[in-house]
Amino acid sequence: MSCLAACSGGSESGGSGGGTGYTVVVSVSQSMVPTQGQTTITATVADKDGPVTAAVQLIFSSMLGGSFTNTSGTKTNAFTTSNGSATAIYTAPEKAGNDKITVSYGGAYGYTWINVYSR
């Protein structure tokens, strides 16, 4: 499930922007999670030639205050890409609502929405 300019698949709506020569595409494994539940978010950065193969740092942010951890379980919002992609484990906040997840690199960004519901 990938979010391109007019996201479809794993989220209610999403998109990208920037105009920097880069695009960031964001996908989510589950677009609905309970409060304090988890889902996996993957972001891919590309330029006009395709995925950026050099290791670059993507910044993940959550509008509702959800948190992100890497595969070793460390909380962070900065993830280094491998072959153009980075994966984060998102933990939903204690408050229900629609959480906008934004991933940025070099002035470009992509986003998706996660519906956080009360247990």
Side-chain angles (χ1 to χ4, degrees):
M1 290 180 261
S2 295
C3 295
L4 299 172
C7 181
S8 65
S11 64
E12 295 174 1
S13 65
S16 62
T20 63
Y22 295 105
T23 58
V24 178
V25 177
V26 181
S27 63
V28 59
S29 62
Q30 294 176 272
S31 61
M32 293 182 66
V33 296
T35 54
Q36 298 183 311
Q38 294 184 323
T39 189
T40 302
I41 299 173
T42 302
T44 303
V45 62
D47 60 18
K48 64 180 178 53
D49 297 320
V52 174
T53 56
V56 298
Q57 194 171 70
L58 301 180
I59 305 299
F60 286 60
S61 64
S62 161
M63 185 175 71
L64 290 182
S67 63
F68 304 95
T69 55
N70 59 26
T71 54
S72 64
T74 304
K75 280 191 176 184
T76 184
N77 70 336
F79 294 81
T80 303
T81 61
S82 174
N83 295 319
S85 293
T87 300
I89 305 300
Y90 164 84
T91 301
E94 293 181 20
K95 179 182 177 183
N98 288 317
D99 198 358
K100 183 179 182 180
I101 308 303
T102 304
V103 182
S104 60
Y105 170 73
Y109 64 90
Y111 64 90
T112 192
W113 292 89
I114 296 176
N115 181 338
V116 179
Y117 61 90
S118 295
R119 291 183 188 250

